[in-house]
Amino acid sequence: ENACERVRFLRWSMSDLAALPGEFDVIFSSVAVHYVQDFPALMRAAADHLTEGGRLIFSQEHPLVSAHCGGERWTKNAQGEKLHLNLANYGIEGERETTWFVDNVKIYHRTFSTIVNTLAEAGFTITGMLEPLPTEALLKKHPEHRDLLHKPDFLLVKSTRA
């Protein structure tokens, strides 16, 4: 659908990234790396398949979200409004079970320092990070998203292979 003679699109399982043939200028992953248990192996494989100066751009569930491992996520007032996020076990990395459109979804929680240090150890330079928050315009249209001001749902990372 987006064919271009100078661009080759591949859809490939991240767990098989090491077997991917060739080198690429860009590797992009949208809201998926938190499903991979061996994050260091994934980042090494990505670096191995990028040209020098190539970019790895990915988004994932925000570590403040993936830290949750049971109990109520929010403290709410009597009207049911979310007052603040209940954060526990942020420093305990590993497998979590969550609900995202379906029950029993397996994800892997990592701290910010693990994400950043793993990228550095794999030979990446972080050139940008974004934690999207709702704008005032969005909140006027959709006030139910005000809870995102307490914590973003996603983390976006742009990095370059050194």
Side-chain angles (χ1 to χ4, degrees):
E1 160 179 338
N2 295 308
C4 175
E5 63 185 55
R6 292 182 32 198
V7 176
R8 180 170 52 139
F9 293 95
L10 296 174
R11 187 182 343 206
W12 199 274
S13 171
M14 289 186 304
S15 60
D16 297 331
L17 192 60
L20 182 68
E23 284 191 322
F24 302 89
D25 297 320
V26 177
I27 295 177
F28 175 81
S29 174
S30 179
V31 195
V33 299
H34 57 276
Y35 295 111
V36 175
Q37 182 176 12
D38 194 344
F39 187 64
L42 176 64
M43 294 300 104
R44 286 190 304 272
D48 289 345
H49 289 296
L50 281 169
T51 57
E52 188 173 328
R55 289 184 218 104
L56 170 64
I57 302 165
F58 67 91
S59 62
Q60 67 165 67
E61 195 168 39
H62 196 284
L64 295 178
V65 175
S66 66
H68 182 76
C69 58
E72 292 295 322
R73 282 190 185 260
W74 294 96
T75 295
K76 299 176 184 178
N77 65 16
Q79 293 75 38
E81 297 168 322
K82 296 174 183 172
L83 299 176
H84 60 81
L85 181 70
N86 296 324
L87 181 62
N89 300 310
Y90 173 80
I92 303 171
E93 296 186 323
E95 184 178 317
R96 302 288 200 270
E97 198 169 282
T98 188
T99 298
W100 190 345
F101 300 108
V102 296
D103 291 335
N104 307 317
V105 176
K106 187 189 306 185
I107 63 169
Y108 294 91
H109 167 67
R110 297 172 186 92
T111 63
F112 275 104
S113 59
T114 293
I115 294 164
V116 170
N117 291 330
T118 301
L119 284 163
E121 290 164 7
F124 288 100
T125 299
I126 295 173
T127 57
M129 292 182 94
L130 182 63
E131 300 169 280
L133 296 171
T135 63
E136 282 302 317
L138 176 74
L139 291 174
K140 283 181 185 176
K141 277 180 134 174
H142 299 281
E144 68 274 14
H145 294 306
R146 186 159 297 284
D147 64 337
L148 293 174
L149 294 174
H150 292 288
K151 56 96 189 126
D153 279 344
F154 302 103
L155 174 67
L156 290 72
V157 179
K158 180 179 176 185
S159 58
T160 302
R161 180 177 168 247

